[in-house]
Amino acid sequence: MFSRNARGLLDFLMAALCLWTAYHHTPAGALVRRGAAWAFHTRSTARPLLAYYDGVSSSGVTTSALVPESPLVRPIAEVGPLAYGTHLALRGLQPKAQRPALALAAELGVSSEALLDEAQGPVAARKLLEALSGDFPSEEARLTAVFAGRIPARYALDRVSAEGGALTLERISRQLPPGFEDATVAAAQALALTTAFGLAWPVPESTPITSPFGYRIHPTLGTRKMHTGVDLSVPQGTEVHVVDDGIVRRASEDSVNGRVLIIDHGRGVSTAYCHNSELLVKVGQHVKRGEIIAHSGNTGRSTGPHVHYQLELSSQPVDPLRFHAGPHAVASDSHL
């Protein structure tokens, strides 16, 4: 079909396209661009590495410590969502990646041992964040200072401020020198955890939980399957409230979830509400915390009226009860 010269040209163009894609849209390309910017003293256009993944990941970050123990050692209201999120994100770092935060804590008179301790950690994290609040007023800047160090964070913040616009974590991380990828990932995880700890509850706090998060014997299939949320037993037509500000990403119906809503709360946090009888919001709509978004029902694969409430961090379902302290009773009957 093509002459030898034409095929050679097409091969060359395809190879050039592959190289361009790798350079601009992969972690390896980001490292090359950051390294070149450092060598030639120019500004890097590479995104932070976490932006190349579905969720956040890094060689210096582990996930085992990111989901809190149940029950929480201290009430969330006692120390605040940001302190809890910072503490857990710090515990999720490898020892080498923890060094900037521990050095900063020592500099500001906060015990590094307490900062990593399960019982004392949230309170120590709050003290550290309070000590930084004067120089770093936004949560994004403060967390960058915790995980990257005060001097790199100050430099990055000044660069972003000079450009104007919002002080987002992504913009701040772009201005950090090479080698701070772990700090950026940890700060992003702390923000996600902070958002999760600040969520409300979609129905009254006293609502019984008929099926908790985790593996269970499926009520109709009879096999052991992962239950990715909690089932809240409420009568048909009960008002379902959104747990925080967000944007409706899905408002549809299928044979399994019934009438379902998925709300994006930003910072890698989303919530889902399944088996509703009526949806009151549409895709793309901005919703406010506490707003009525649906009426509960028994649609889809369900054995009785209830709300299946699901919380996801970086597209991974987690137990909502790990992030919410309330008088939740567990009933003996099980819904889907």
Side-chain angles (χ1 to χ4, degrees):
M1 182 180 295
F2 297 104
S3 67
R4 180 176 298 177
N5 289 340
R7 288 199 302 271
L9 178 61
L10 287 173
D11 290 342
F12 173 79
L13 291 176
M14 289 300 296
L17 178 61
C18 290
L19 288 173
W20 179 88
T21 301
Y23 186 69
H24 287 280
H25 298 285
T26 68
L31 288 174
V32 171
R33 281 188 287 158
R34 286 202 167 194
W38 175 81
F40 295 102
H41 303 287
T42 59
R43 180 180 170 187
S44 171
T45 59
R47 296 182 295 169
L49 290 189
L50 67 91
Y52 295 92
Y53 299 96
D54 183 13
V56 290
S57 61
S58 174
S59 60
V61 181
T62 61
T63 58
S64 59
L66 294 180
V67 177
E69 298 294 331
S70 180
L72 293 174
V73 176
R74 293 178 181 273
I76 297 172
E78 182 179 322
V79 294
L82 182 61
Y84 247 120
T86 302
H87 164 65
L88 286 175
L90 182 60
R91 282 171 58 93
L93 289 173
Q94 298 287 358
K96 181 179 178 181
Q98 291 173 345
R99 290 174 187 169
L102 299 183
L104 179 62
E107 177 187 337
L108 296 175
V110 177
S111 168
S112 57
E113 292 183 0
L115 199 57
L116 296 175
D117 182 74
E118 183 180 346
Q120 304 177 64
V123 175
R126 185 182 64 181
K127 292 179 180 178
L128 181 60
L129 292 164
E130 288 174 348
L132 293 168
S133 61
D135 294 331
F136 302 94
S138 73
E139 290 183 349
E140 290 82 356
R142 219 172 307 158
L143 289 171
T144 302
V146 168
F147 295 108
R150 184 150 53 177
I151 294 176
R154 182 76 264 169
Y155 170 81
L157 183 60
D158 289 343
R159 293 287 297 271
V160 173
S161 298
E163 292 177 350
L167 295 175
T168 64
L169 180 60
E170 183 173 359
R171 293 189 65 207
I172 294 172
S173 64
R174 285 176 183 166
Q175 301 299 341
L176 289 172
F180 284 93
E181 286 75 23
D182 287 344
T184 299
V185 171
Q189 289 176 327
L191 285 175
L193 291 166
T194 296
T195 301
F197 279 123
L199 299 178
W201 205 240
V203 291
E205 296 276 359
S206 58
T207 300
I209 295 173
T210 54
S211 186
F213 178 92
Y215 282 96
R216 64 175 184 175
I217 301 300
H218 197 280
T220 58
L221 300 179
T223 57
R224 188 171 183 266
K225 294 180 69 69
M226 180 66 180
H227 188 227
T228 56
V230 293
D231 288 346
L232 306 170
S233 181
V234 290
Q236 179 98 3
T238 299
E239 295 177 347
V240 180
H241 301 259
V242 66
V243 295
D244 206 357
D245 297 355
I247 301 174
V248 181
R249 297 301 186 194
R250 179 182 172 188
S252 60
E253 183 174 5
D254 60 63
S255 60
V256 176
N257 299 302
R259 295 190 175 97
V260 56
L261 289 172
I262 296 179
I263 311 295
D264 181 0
H265 303 285
R267 296 178 170 180
V269 178
S270 63
T271 52
Y273 314 76
C274 305
H275 307 300
N276 301 288
S277 61
E278 182 183 15
L279 305 181
L280 304 178
V281 293
K282 299 178 180 179
V283 172
Q285 183 175 336
H286 289 257
V287 291
K288 292 291 185 181
R289 182 186 182 97
E291 183 178 338
I292 302 171
I293 56 174
H295 289 124
S296 67
N298 191 30
T299 58
R301 187 182 292 167
S302 172
T303 59
H306 73 288
V307 175
H308 172 92
Y309 171 58
Q310 185 165 314
L311 169 62
E312 292 193 355
L313 301 184
S314 300
S315 301
Q316 298 297 319
V318 296
D319 188 352
L321 295 182
R322 294 289 194 269
F323 297 88
H324 187 78
H328 304 294
V330 179
S332 57
D333 58 321
S334 176
H335 297 307
L336 288 171

